[in-house]
Amino acid sequence: MQENTILTPESVQASGEIPQHVSIIMDGNGRWAGARFRPRVFGHHKGALAVRRAVETARKLGVKYLTLYAFSDENWGRPAYEVSAVMDLLEKYINRELSNLNQNGIRLNAIGELHRLPERTKKILDQAILQLSGNSQMVLTLCLSYGGRSELSEAFKKIASKIEAGQLTSSQISAELIGNYLWTAGMPDPDLMIRTSGELRLSNFLLWQHAYSEMYFCKSSWPDFSETHFLEAVQSFQSRQRRFGLIREASRPLTLEELEELKREEH
Ligand code: IPE
Ligand code: IPE
Ligand code: MG
């Protein structure tokens, strides 16, 4: 594809494989607002609109799982007014988008320490999850009060109690088994992880599941993340060769001459 071609979901679909699972660290709302002399919460409001765009783009592309990092374990440490504004926005987002999500056949899922959410937020979330549970075109997972280390700790606790109860032996522990005890059990690992706002870190996001994901870091702040940004990320994914530790080309043993050559250098 040429550099100056206008990207569309259709052109990106035609140019290669669409990642089955895309995860996104939606970062940079506060800085986006600060740069415009607005309070951080203003940026979160704009960020909610970017969520709508990203969901629509993923759906148009035929992505099957979209997982959004919306609120981390660590984010509870922010000022109370910001935390409650994010929770209010989450409720607003769900109420506003429910019928649109349903029309598009999107199922809703939430992972994290959900019991820590305010009661009203949790109730609205649970109701929406139930209402959308029959849909099968795409699964939208919101990571709320989520931390990769908490998720792993929870999984290990559950595994340990099974062992204590004699329902499992330690020799049965495998990567597959651990995966089955995570909050993402049953979901494929993300193929592509996107982080906005130029930060180059994972920030405790799906630590186990991102083992072999392709990473895409975007300079744009989350409120500015457009359909084109999303399509550029998928295009970048399509240009990569995933190897999972294997090799693609044919290999052969060393010849005697090559062995001699190496020996000479090693001595
Ligand atoms: C991401 O934007 C949204 C949440 C963490 C809730 P930030 O609020 O982290 O914005 P920056 O990174 O401070 O700009
Ligand atoms: C990660 O962003 C969490 C979410 C996007 C919800 P943060 O802004 O909290 O992460 P750090 O502090 O830059 O690592
Ligand atoms: Mg941030």
Side-chain angles (χ1 to χ4, degrees):
M1 186 156 305
Q2 301 214 319
E3 282 278 319
N4 54 2
T5 308
I6 295 169
L7 290 175
T8 63
E10 294 73 26
S11 72
V12 172
Q13 272 170 333
S15 67
E17 187 198 342
I18 297 298
Q20 190 188 13
H21 185 173
V22 178
S23 56
I24 309 184
I25 302 179
M26 309 185 290
D27 196 19
N29 292 351
R31 278 164 285 161
W32 183 93
R36 287 156 183 81
F37 307 103
R38 303 286 196 164
R40 294 179 53 83
V41 169
F42 191 87
H44 293 317
H45 276 262
K46 290 285 183 178
L49 300 176
V51 172
R52 175 197 279 169
R53 275 199 302 274
V55 171
E56 282 174 3
T57 307
R59 179 68 184 83
K60 282 192 233 167
L61 277 171
V63 166
K64 287 292 172 199
Y65 297 86
L66 178 67
T67 300
L68 303 178
Y69 202 7
F71 195 81
S72 75
D73 264 359
E74 291 76 16
N75 292 152
W76 288 114
R78 294 189 181 191
Y81 81 90
E82 181 167 340
V83 171
S84 75
V86 170
M87 295 301 152
D88 287 351
L89 258 174
L90 174 64
E91 293 174 16
K92 249 199 194 161
Y93 170 83
I94 294 171
N95 289 331
R96 197 174 60 205
E97 297 300 317
L98 194 65
S99 69
N100 195 27
L101 293 173
N102 202 22
Q103 274 162 22
N104 282 295
I106 299 171
R107 199 161 87 211
L108 186 64
N109 180 28
I111 59 170
E113 293 184 323
L114 303 176
H115 61 272
R116 294 182 72 185
L117 298 179
E119 220 169 286
R120 193 182 61 187
T121 314
K122 176 83 170 63
K123 205 165 149 202
I124 290 173
L125 185 66
D126 286 342
Q127 280 169 352
I129 290 174
L130 190 67
Q131 247 175 293
L132 302 175
S133 61
N135 292 336
S136 58
Q137 294 303 308
M138 183 173 98
V139 180
L140 170 63
T141 299
L142 301 179
C143 299
L144 297 165
S145 187
Y146 175 87
R149 289 178 171 179
S150 305
E151 180 181 34
L152 284 163
S153 306
E154 277 301 306
F156 298 154
K157 266 188 229 160
K158 282 187 221 147
I159 293 170
S161 61
K162 287 257 173 175
I163 294 175
E164 280 166 6
Q167 293 163 340
L168 201 68
T169 62
S170 59
S171 61
Q172 284 175 297
I173 298 177
S174 63
E176 194 191 344
L177 182 121
I178 293 171
N180 290 336
Y181 281 85
L182 297 176
W183 293 325
T184 51
M187 281 166 71
D189 288 339
D191 301 293
L192 169 65
M193 192 218 74
I194 301 170
R195 181 169 190 153
T196 59
S197 90
E199 303 296 353
L200 308 179
R201 55 178 172 260
L202 268 180
S203 301
N204 205 8
F205 186 39
L206 299 173
L207 297 180
W208 180 272
Q209 300 87 337
H210 281 136
Y212 262 105
S213 309
E214 294 297 323
M215 307 275 171
Y216 184 86
F217 297 98
C218 172
K219 288 250 158 56
S220 158
S221 292
W222 179 249
D224 285 332
F225 191 75
S226 63
E227 174 168 287
T228 304
H229 288 121
F230 200 147
L231 298 177
E232 282 168 356
V234 173
Q235 208 183 26
S236 164
F237 169 82
Q238 291 175 335
S239 72
R240 306 192 193 174
Q241 194 192 59
R242 300 182 81 187
R243 289 192 288 272
F244 301 100
L246 307 177
I247 51 169
R248 294 274 181 102
E249 71 277 21
S251 192
R252 63 163 173 78
L254 296 168
T255 62
L256 278 179
E257 289 75 18
E258 285 161 344
L259 263 174
E260 283 305 318
E261 185 184 332
L262 288 169
K263 255 194 213 150
R264 273 198 303 278
E265 282 174 32
E266 282 159 10
H267 282 298

